[in-house]
Amino acid sequence: MLSICGNNALRELSSPGKSGSFFYLTHDDRYMIKTMKKSEAKVLLRMLSAYYNHVRAFENTLVIKFYGLHCVKLTGPAQKKVRFIIMGNLFCSEYTVHRRFDLKGSSLGRTTDKPESEIDGNTILKDLDLNFIFRLQKPFFQQFCR
């Protein structure tokens, strides 16, 4: 509650993505807020039961944690409704992030435009940029597969 409703302002992250959604980050980096279209909110609500069961069954899931889906009606002549979701920020960690990926599970247009020499810890890489071999100890691998 203090992260979002405290005296500190939210930080807007660069420009909206292809979906037109805006992203905001709390001052302590713990939570992200994303605006969403009505159709996106409906999809999320349809998935809610399965999502809840998955998160309950797998406490250490790598799936992002959603904390709330909200809708507010703006005042004024337009009285537009704004829907937004509050989610945990996966990048809030004691570990240094060397590479960031926006993975969608697609290959269409899923590479970054930057040359290798310009890629740093803040560059958002895409699906086809993920060219690592991951080696996990057997117990971690089994848990990851579960």
Side-chain angles (χ1 to χ4, degrees):
M1 183 102 152
L2 290 175
S3 295
I4 295 170
C5 300
N7 294 329
N8 298 298
L10 298 173
R11 297 189 316 266
E12 187 174 340
L13 299 178
S14 61
S15 61
K18 287 182 184 176
S19 68
S21 296
F22 290 91
F23 291 86
Y24 300 91
L25 199 57
T26 58
H27 70 94
D28 57 6
D29 291 337
R30 291 181 60 200
Y31 303 98
M32 249 183 170
I33 298 171
K34 175 191 175 197
T35 61
M36 47 187 0
K37 296 176 184 171
K38 185 178 183 177
S39 59
E40 291 176 293
K42 284 183 174 183
V43 168
L44 196 60
L45 288 171
R46 279 197 304 270
M47 294 176 13
L48 184 59
S49 179
Y51 169 81
Y52 175 79
N53 291 334
H54 175 83
V55 172
R56 290 285 305 226
F58 303 98
E59 279 186 27
N60 294 323
T61 182
L62 298 176
V63 173
I64 195 158
K65 302 250 184 352
F66 294 115
Y67 295 106
L69 173 61
H70 305 274
C71 180
V72 293
K73 186 188 265 187
L74 303 178
T75 58
Q79 293 194 346
K80 181 182 173 188
K81 287 183 179 178
V82 177
R83 291 167 184 80
F84 61 95
I85 189 162
I86 300 171
M87 53 192 151
N89 179 11
L90 291 175
F91 297 127
C92 184
S93 170
E94 69 267 18
Y95 300 108
T96 302
V97 176
H98 300 286
R99 292 280 192 255
R100 296 173 194 258
F101 291 87
D102 176 19
L103 302 175
K104 303 237 189 265
S106 173
S107 58
L108 187 62
R110 300 300 299 158
T111 56
T112 188
D113 298 333
K114 284 189 174 183
E116 183 67 34
S117 60
E118 293 180 24
I119 293 175
D120 61 19
N122 293 318
T123 303
I124 306 296
L125 300 167
K126 299 179 182 178
D127 298 66
L128 296 178
D129 299 317
L130 185 61
N131 56 359
F132 299 105
I133 295 174
F134 295 92
R135 300 195 192 283
L136 299 173
Q137 294 174 354
K138 192 168 185 170
F140 293 124
F141 176 74
Q142 291 169 334
Q143 184 178 6
F144 180 75
C145 288
R146 276 196 302 277

